[in-house]
Amino acid sequence: MPDLTHPLNGNTYNEAFLTEAFRLAAQSMQANNGGPFGAVVVIDDKIIGTGVNQVTSKNDPTAHAEIMAIRDACEKLKRFDLQGAVIYSTCEPCPMCFSAIYWAGIQRVFYASTREDAAAIGFKDSWIYDEIGKEPTGRTVNFQRVIHPAAPRLFSDWDAKQDKISY
């Protein structure tokens, strides 16, 4: 087995946490809450947040397991920064979840199934990974920049705001 000690936080793989993510995913899938995905956020060897895919039950395309686990952890901790956390996921995070993991400050991800495994059962995230690397004008979804006179002022106001909470 490869060395799983991460230089940023020293956290090593713990089978029990991934097993819990699988238990949650199976339970949720059987209840028809969403797809076969589960995740847990761990800090100091304690599960802080849990999540399962709830896309279809919540009619929310962002209700992926990792997003739900991050939301749960942030709500419980009353903070948006999960520095020092590890996330265990039943599958390699999609591009949205990948980004959320970075925004949350999570420093390590353990996952079981790959994006190719997910694609084999109908979850096709690879095209989104491909889209991210394209220029806005070359993407499948039409992205068009609009010059608006309020844009510079809004950003300069934020930059000058003395009581802002940076993130």
Side-chain angles (χ1 to χ4, degrees), residues 4 11 20 26 32 48 57 70 94 96 98 100-101 111 113 116 122 132 144 156:
L4 297 176
N11 291 311
E20 178 62 5
N32 290 321
I48 303 299
S57 60
I70 289 168
C94 75
M96 176 183 65
F98 175 95
I101 287 164
Y111 64 92
S113 299
E116 293 81 13
I132 291 169
Q144 184 173 347
S156 66

Side-chain angles (χ1 to χ4, degrees), residues 29-51:
M29 183 181 67
Q30 292 305 315
N32 290 321
N33 289 327
F37 306 103
V40 298
V41 174
V42 175
I43 296 178
D44 295 329
D45 290 324
K46 181 180 175 192
I47 294 176
I48 303 299
T50 64

Side-chain angles (χ1 to χ4, degrees), residues 1-154:
M1 181 174 214
D3 177 16
L4 297 176
T5 303
H6 192 285
L8 292 176
N9 59 15
N11 291 311
T12 56
Y13 174 73
N14 184 325
E15 180 82 23
F17 297 133
L18 191 56
T19 298
E20 178 62 5
F22 272 101
R23 186 191 70 73
L24 292 168
Q27 181 181 41
S28 177
M29 183 181 67
Q30 292 305 315
N32 290 321
N33 289 327
F37 306 103
V40 298
V41 174
V42 175
I43 296 178
D44 295 329
D45 290 324
K46 181 180 175 192
I47 294 176
I48 303 299
T50 64
V52 294
N53 183 286
Q54 297 177 65
V55 169
T56 57
S57 60
K58 290 191 174 287
N59 292 315
D60 179 353
T62 69
H64 289 200
E66 296 90 344
I67 299 288
M68 301 308 282
I70 289 168
R71 288 175 181 166
D72 187 41
C74 289
E75 185 175 323
K76 286 177 181 168
L77 295 173
K78 306 287 188 238
R79 66 182 206 229
F80 57 83
D81 183 350
L82 296 177
Q83 199 74 20
V86 177
I87 194 164
Y88 288 78
S89 179
T90 59
C91 189
E92 180 180 3
C94 75
M96 176 183 65
C97 295
F98 175 95
S99 296
I101 287 164
Y102 274 79
W103 279 115
I106 293 172
Q107 296 172 306
R108 185 148 200 170
V109 178
F110 292 107
Y111 64 92
S113 299
T114 66
R115 66 179 98 161
E116 293 81 13
D117 296 330
I121 60 167
F123 295 92
K124 309 228 185 288
D125 300 338
S126 292
W127 74 275
I128 301 173
Y129 279 104
D130 295 340
E131 289 283 301
I132 291 169
K134 295 179 181 177
E135 289 296 319
T137 56
R139 295 179 181 148
T140 302
V141 174
N142 186 340
F143 282 72
Q144 184 173 347
R145 181 171 182 220
V146 176
I147 305 299
H148 192 280
R153 177 66 187 257
L154 186 63

